[in-house]
Amino acid sequence: MPTPRRGKKKTESRPAAFPPEDGYDLWLRYRAVDAPRLLAQYRKAVPRAAVIGGGETSGIIRDELRRALPSLLDCHTPVTSELAPGPALVAGTAAALAASGMKAVPEACRDLGGEGYRIRTERTGKDARIVIAANTDPAVLRGVFHFLRLLQTRQDIRALKIASRPRIRHRILAHWDNLDGSIERGYAGYSLWQWDDLPTVLADRYRDYARACASVGINGTVLNNVNSQTEILRADYLMKTAALADIFRPYGIRVYLSPNFSAPRELGGLAGNDPRDPAVAWWWREKAEEIYRLIPDFGGFQVKANSEGMPGPKDSGANHDDGANMFARALEGGGGKVLWRAFVYETDIDYDRAKCAYKEFTPLDGRFHPAVFVQVKNGPVDFQPREPFHPLFGSMPRTPLALELQIAQEYLGQSIHLVYLAPMWKEVLESDTYARGAGSKVSAVVDGSLTGRADSAIVGDANTGSDRNWCGHHFGQANWYAFGRLAWDHTLSSEAIAEEWIRATWTNQARAVQAMKKMMLGSWEACVDYMTPLGLNCLVAEGHHYGPDPAFDAAPREDWSNVYYHRADRRGIGFDRSSTGSGAAATYQSPLREQLDDLQRCPEKFLLWFHHVPWDHRMPSGRTLWEELEVHYDRGIAFAEKMTLWWEKVRAEVDPARHRHVAERLAKQLANARFWKKVCLEYFGRFAKGEDEKT
Ligand code: BDP
């Protein structure tokens, strides 16, 4: 059985080929190019660089190139502010480049919008220049990061012809950070924001954070937890927020906040929080204006209301649209947005939690202010290892919907398990909602292309924290990276993103790249297999949400118990959401709803999500359901075993410190996978084999 390296002294005592690393540099390590021919090509193409422009962002771009080029090219590479004859890398806004004599650039940038960029090889005589141009400084910065990625991933740069624009407009990282420095569902230390020190002491890490976000195209950050504390809107906290906003602005990143709905009463001393009360609306408008005075480009509010005990408009008899629209009107003066979360599941709405948001929000379609996004989690329950896409994506055609993904792996082994999430997110994005007939993908709903809407948003609940390597697990960084890359362009494949990330973060050695890619690409399906196969969900232990506890039945609410979800009994297992059960299959559009409704046609991966299935049911494989469950748990474990072996094989290509960190976690992941199988199958087996006494 693969275990960490004990006993294999020979390899261990070999001098390390690479100095130890701590992961702080993320995918921006810029290690020297070790392929001689490419190195020669790069040095020839970029003997120097000129960044045209006098603003703060131009300075940041120069700094980035000064850091990256000498390191990647392993030679002196001047980075200046002026154009000089001869080959060079030239970067600047269209206006700045035109003012320096490159008259054709503005026309060429016409279709790039505010955030797109182009990277072109342009020849004048025998000289070739690589020109990175855009309409705004932050977009030039993104173009420069793109160019550096080409070097980091060893691409041919002799004839570049790249134009890139984001498919989704607001690409937001949301932090569930509390004002005391703790992070809700955070597994990588404490908050990055030093609230006690702000606004006077500004940690270097704030810039490094912004730099990392900008490098993958993220353009917004929600600083505080959705379970918000009212203090965040107090004048002193707004000063702190403004200090962060000032740091992030030159990187093209806007700041958002999660307000608490009861702030008018708690902070403002008003009698209530009813959004229809003019005094309440006035209070929020004043608050928004106060924020805009400090942060003119304030992104807006992300609101969790009437959910899990948070206050909201329903407390005073109003509805979600009243609350969301009140915020939107308050923010009108500065163009801020409202991200109104649809994560609601009060028991009086429906017995089946998977139907609640659908039932609450579909009647409100078309009633929201244009600045409101209804923010919908990828699935209808809660960031489980695998869920079908949320039915709201197919049923609110007149409302912009923001997709909320969780990067933090709350239910997927947190910062211990290596689980690359891009394949999960792609499965959701590629799902067909049938909202306007076949081909109406979730991605087209979210990016607005299905309805011809220009505004669009995607939110990722962050996995970052104060740990030196930012994400707890070195491979957790890949999920932050993948979120940014997919938010920019959801058509990228999981594989392409993984490969970029590996090459920039670990190595370009082909065999090691392949091995790491195999690990990453299979890791999510393996996690589903050893935790919640065949559409099972919510089997984690209460509170910490890490290990298995399928027997848990003692929660104060039925739908906080695990037995509510799996419903194992002598007859079978699974939640009947078909027309003979809760009817949740009917929250999807035809012909998907009929397919999900039909036990024979329901995709196997969602079988127990939609059906209560007899233990002896014959699966397409010919096995019984019970046998199939066993096969899945074993398959997940087998993959976890393989990951430890593949990781061992890349030892020589990776620095010892990071190798060991990952190896230790893989060993724990494998042990956990076995434990999941043991606990779940022992428990379910009591029913399947008729040994339980309860039924
Ligand atoms: C659940 C988390 C809880 C969050 C909630 C939310 O367990 O801590 O507050 O989601 O998204 O997954 O509001």
Side-chain angles (χ1 to χ4, degrees), residues 176 184-185 227 304 308 341 343 377 382 410-411:
W176 288 1
E184 175 144 355
R185 311 304 176 187
N227 296 317
K304 174 171 177 177
E308 298 186 330
R341 296 178 90 231
F343 181 63
K377 289 189 180 181
D382 188 10
E410 174 183 353
Y411 297 95

Side-chain angles (χ1 to χ4, degrees), residues 176 184-185 187 225-227 304 307-308 310 341 343 345 353 377 381-384 404 406 410-411 461 543 545:
W176 288 1
E184 175 144 355
R185 311 304 176 187
Y187 312 104
N225 192 357
V226 287
N227 296 317
K304 174 171 177 177
S307 163
E308 298 186 330
M310 291 298 288
R341 296 178 90 231
F343 181 63
Y345 60 101
R353 175 167 165 183
K377 289 189 180 181
V381 170
D382 188 10
F383 296 141
Q384 292 305 296
E404 180 175 344
Q406 192 188 46
E410 174 183 353
Y411 297 95
D461 300 326
H545 291 177

Side-chain angles (χ1 to χ4, degrees), residues 395-466:
S395 44
M396 291 194 74
R398 294 191 291 152
T399 307
L401 300 178
L403 169 62
E404 180 175 344
L405 303 168
Q406 192 188 46
I407 309 172
Q409 292 180 238
E410 174 183 353
Y411 297 95
L412 295 96
Q414 301 168 7
S415 56
I416 299 297
H417 292 208
L418 188 166
V419 185
Y420 174 52
L421 296 174
M424 179 213 274
W425 299 336
K426 286 289 284 187
E427 180 173 285
V428 173
L429 287 159
E430 295 288 307
S431 296
D432 198 341
T433 67
Y434 294 93
R436 290 197 170 185
S440 309
K441 291 183 185 174
V442 170
S443 59
V445 175
V446 174
D447 72 15
S449 58
L450 192 69
T451 43
R453 199 177 278 126
D455 217 6
S456 50
I458 185 165
V459 178
D461 300 326
N463 63 349
T464 49
S466 60

